[in-house]
Amino acid sequence: MFDAHRYILDPQFPLFENQGARAEPYTITDYERDTDGLGITGGAVISASFHGTDQSFLVSSLETLGYGWVGVASLPPDATDEDILDLDKAGVRALRLNLKRGATDVQTLTSQARRAHDLVGWHAELYVEASMLMSLEPILSKLPAVSVDHLGMSRQGLPYLLDLVDRGVRVKASGFGRVDMDVVDTMKQIHRVNPAALMFGTDLPGARAPRRFRESDLDLVAEAVGGDLPAVLGGNARAWYRVK
């Protein structure tokens, strides 16, 4: 299994308050305890807003995790080509555009995403409610490769999300405790449009989520995608993140 959406909140590196919330440390050891027995052999470590844009924690985490693991970085506005190249060498494969918590300069993020794709092939990962996606169309149309977190989070934007899926956008089947929708029906609709689109993730530790990941979430994925379960639990994401 490939966990396409998990976090590390490493107390060895600075952890910042974000929108009134404080981060509780969540280490590699904590994650391994919580996922013991699931057969996870790789995944994507997402740069959390609690760590800001200093990606030292991410580089350190990927070095510890080793083969099969990649990173999704958050960059400061003044990031250079050299910064992107160094992170790519460390195992980063995507840029996070956190449009729900704190990101205001969308134009800069868009420029960074295009530059990172041109330099090293990174895709852009959007943390955004699907209801906002239509207003972002001028930006999305400029991004060569995109994924959207947590099924888009809102049923209101599902029709437009499905249109994006039809255009090649990928969607994280993650954060079921965060969303405002019937997750099985939503996954069925996404899968019907593009069987390669869905990528499972635990979203652990689920900071600020009303509920965190539980193993029964895997049953919901299985109900939605049937025989394509191995692809959604691993193959789709490994191909998207270019993990050998």
Side-chain angles (χ1 to χ4, degrees):
M1 189 185 302
F2 186 94
D3 185 349
H5 201 96
R6 54 81 55 107
Y7 296 89
I8 294 170
L9 301 173
D10 190 340
Q12 297 181 84
F13 298 88
L15 287 166
F16 306 101
E17 182 178 309
N18 180 262
Q19 295 185 346
R22 294 184 178 274
E24 293 293 329
Y26 190 77
T27 65
I28 291 173
T29 300
D30 293 328
Y31 174 84
E32 290 176 345
R33 177 201 63 221
D34 289 343
T35 58
D36 184 43
L38 293 183
I40 294 172
T41 57
V45 179
I46 313 299
S47 178
S49 54
F50 294 116
H51 271 300
T53 57
D54 183 350
Q55 303 302 278
S56 301
F57 90 95
L58 186 57
V59 172
S60 174
S61 298
L62 293 176
E63 184 176 356
T64 300
L65 289 167
Y67 180 79
W69 293 92
V70 297
V72 179
S74 297
L75 297 179
D78 59 351
T80 65
D81 288 358
E82 180 108 3
D83 294 331
I84 294 171
L85 291 167
D86 286 345
L87 286 169
D88 187 72
K89 290 176 184 175
V92 172
R93 293 294 177 266
L95 175 65
R96 190 170 208 220
L97 279 63
N98 187 340
L99 305 181
K100 184 173 174 63
R101 301 196 191 279
T104 56
D105 190 350
V106 178
Q107 293 297 333
T108 296
L109 288 173
T110 304
S111 297
Q112 284 184 337
R114 293 176 66 184
R115 180 157 54 107
H117 184 272
D118 291 344
L119 275 173
V120 287
W122 290 2
H123 66 267
E125 300 206 353
L126 272 61
Y127 179 30
V128 60
E129 291 195 14
S131 57
M132 291 178 58
L133 286 173
M134 187 171 293
S135 66
L136 294 171
E137 171 62 26
I139 291 165
L140 292 173
S141 64
K142 297 176 183 177
L143 297 176
V146 176
S147 69
V148 175
D149 293 349
H150 311 323
L151 299 174
M153 300 187 71
S154 169
R155 71 169 73 91
Q156 181 181 352
L158 182 58
Y160 185 64
L161 179 64
L162 293 175
D163 178 63
L164 291 177
V165 170
D166 193 42
R167 289 189 264 159
V169 169
R170 272 36 176 194
V171 181
K172 300 281 187 77
S174 60
F176 294 169
R178 300 182 187 274
V179 304
D180 171 25
M181 61 180 64
D182 180 324
V183 295
V184 172
D185 180 65
T186 300
M187 285 188 288
K188 283 181 177 179
Q189 292 191 59
I190 293 169
H191 183 257
R192 193 176 301 125
V193 174
N194 181 2
L198 284 171
M199 306 180 293
F200 169 76
T202 65
D203 188 42
L204 284 170
R208 290 186 277 206
R211 77 157 177 88
R212 59 187 282 169
F213 166 77
R214 52 195 182 208
E215 289 189 32
S216 59
D217 289 342
L218 296 172
D219 297 328
L220 300 179
V221 179
E223 181 181 348
V225 304
D228 274 343
L229 185 62
V232 175
L233 295 185
N236 290 347
R238 285 192 173 93
W240 184 240
Y241 284 102
R242 296 171 286 130
V243 177
K244 294 181 181 179

